[in-house]
Amino acid sequence: LAVIYAVSCRSALLYSLLTTGVGPMLRVLQRMLRGCWNAGAYKLSPPVYVIKRILGAVSGLAPLSTLLTITLLIHYTYQLLPSSAFSTFLLCFFILELFGNWVLFFRTKSFIEKSSGNSEISAGLSHSEYRQIRYCPHCKIYKPERSHHCSLCDRCIHQRDHHCFFLGTCVGGYNLCYFVFFCFYACIGCLYSANKLYEYYSSAYLRDLWSPQFHYYFYPVTLVHWYNGKAALEEVGWVTLLYVATATVLFTGFCVVQQLVYVFRGQTAYEYNKGLLMVHRSASHNFLHVFGRYWFLYWLLPLPRCSKPASNSSTILKII
């Protein structure tokens, strides 16, 4: 599990480095060598495309590792909870929230359908609407503003925010709310799990965090101690769970805060990084646009909220 989790994290980092730094250099090298390779039966495959395919296959393990991580944390945390009705209710509540929002996130993808009917532009569009037309050569459709093509999903994404490697698909305008809900409850649940794991580990192995043996809480150090015979294998397992729970709290908590900032500003991550502000609405209006009028109910129950608007050539190009 630790190996799969580490590979998933490093694949996301490696992909971002390749697309921002190495990718342009590979494209320049490809243009230089294209004249030598186009003749005959040998043709140079696009290096960036091949690398993205490899990274896409590797990142396909990330949703499985996320599922295994959540399952293990829920199982071992439940073993440490006292047997009571409240503990059972708490466990069922977090299971419902995590897996319910995960299912809704996958079922409500932000893909722009390739057969959405906008391949031909209506003649009734104004001059300003024609200026907003952007053609996607991969999907062969006219895509609306605030949408971008994802090379890993191979689809145009409505209000594309980013490609989530840990959930295995893109975060966009239709499933952004479920992504925030999932990260929020993952942060709260893993914080509670990390607290229970720490209490058990510190009492069972007599290694308090504020003692001279605090270095046992650092995962690489624990592995070295186990290799030298100074720690049991079970101890390495508990430290691994505590390490994963703590890392998940920090990561998902950062995602929730970051996404809420983007929501209140009316931007996506792409627009924020580019310094673009496509819509001019109040913060409350932007919040309700993403989470809905009955947002407090959707925070408590994983209910389907986002519905895709009817797509046609006269409305698909509008900024939403």
Side-chain angles (χ1 to χ4, degrees):
L1 174 63
V3 172
I4 295 177
Y5 194 83
V7 169
S8 303
C9 296
R10 282 156 179 77
S11 63
L13 178 60
L14 181 60
Y15 172 74
S16 62
L17 290 176
L18 288 172
T19 53
T20 56
V22 184
M25 290 188 294
L26 289 177
R27 285 193 289 269
V28 172
L29 181 61
Q30 177 187 352
R31 287 193 294 267
M32 293 174 58
L33 299 177
R34 183 173 297 170
C36 302
W37 286 79
N38 280 340
Y42 302 99
K43 291 186 178 181
L44 182 65
S45 299
V48 177
Y49 175 80
V50 175
I51 293 175
K52 287 181 179 179
R53 282 302 183 186
I54 295 175
L55 292 177
V58 174
S59 64
L61 298 175
L64 177 61
S65 66
T66 304
L67 176 63
L68 290 176
T69 301
I70 294 175
T71 304
L72 288 175
L73 288 175
I74 289 175
H75 172 73
Y76 285 103
T77 304
Y78 181 70
Q79 300 299 321
L80 303 177
L81 293 177
S83 56
S84 62
F86 176 74
S87 300
T88 304
F89 168 77
L90 196 65
L91 177 70
C92 296
F93 176 76
F94 277 101
I95 291 177
L96 176 65
E97 291 293 340
L98 288 174
F99 289 96
N101 284 296
W102 195 351
V103 171
L104 290 174
F105 177 80
F106 274 104
R107 288 179 59 88
T108 316
K109 294 185 177 180
S110 299
F111 294 163
I112 298 177
E113 299 296 336
K114 296 184 179 181
S115 58
S116 57
N118 64 333
S119 57
E120 296 181 0
I121 301 301
S122 173
L125 293 179
S126 63
H127 178 70
S128 60
E129 290 176 326
Y130 268 113
R131 296 183 61 183
Q132 297 178 6
I133 295 176
R134 297 183 303 139
Y135 183 76
C136 177
H138 304 282
C139 298
K140 295 180 174 57
I141 61 172
Y142 292 96
K143 56 184 179 181
E145 289 291 337
R146 307 189 69 191
S147 62
H148 305 279
H149 185 84
C150 176
S151 57
L152 293 178
C153 296
D154 195 24
R155 301 290 292 271
C156 285
I157 309 299
H158 173 69
Q159 294 184 22
R160 183 178 184 270
D161 190 90
H162 69 283
H163 184 93
C164 181
F165 286 88
F166 297 97
L167 296 182
T169 188
C170 270
V171 180
Y174 300 138
N175 56 7
L176 175 61
C177 53
Y178 305 124
F179 175 77
V180 176
F181 294 154
F182 175 84
C183 290
F184 174 78
Y185 282 105
C187 179
I188 300 300
C190 287
L191 181 62
Y192 184 77
S193 177
N195 180 52
K196 292 300 179 182
L197 290 170
Y198 168 72
E199 291 178 354
Y200 172 79
Y201 178 69
S202 60
S203 60
Y205 294 92
L206 303 178
R207 305 192 192 279
D208 190 72
L209 184 60
W210 312 109
S211 67
Q213 296 181 338
F214 72 95
H215 50 83
Y216 278 88
Y217 285 88
F218 295 93
Y219 184 66
V221 177
T222 310
L223 290 177
V224 174
H225 287 321
W226 168 71
Y227 181 79
N228 294 329
K230 297 180 180 180
L233 182 60
E234 293 80 5
E235 185 175 356
V236 177
W238 288 111
V239 173
T240 302
L241 290 175
L242 181 59
Y243 176 81
V244 171
T246 306
T248 305
V249 169
L250 297 177
F251 178 74
T252 55
F254 173 78
C255 288
V256 171
V257 174
Q258 184 185 49
Q259 291 299 328
L260 288 179
V261 171
Y262 295 156
V263 168
F264 283 120
R265 292 175 59 92
Q267 293 176 305
T268 62
Y270 176 86
E271 295 169 353
Y272 181 83
N273 295 330
K274 296 292 185 179
L276 301 175
L277 185 60
M278 307 297 292
V279 295
H280 301 276
R281 297 181 295 226
S282 63
S284 59
H285 192 174
N286 291 328
F287 181 85
L288 295 178
H289 177 76
V290 175
F291 297 103
R293 177 182 299 179
Y294 304 102
W295 58 270
F296 52 89
L297 179 62
Y298 300 120
W299 277 98
L300 298 177
L301 291 174
L303 300 174
R305 192 208 72 84
C306 301
S307 58
K308 298 183 180 182
S311 58
N312 53 67
S313 58
S314 60
T315 62
I316 191 66
L317 299 176
K318 291 183 179 180
I319 299 178
I320 300 177

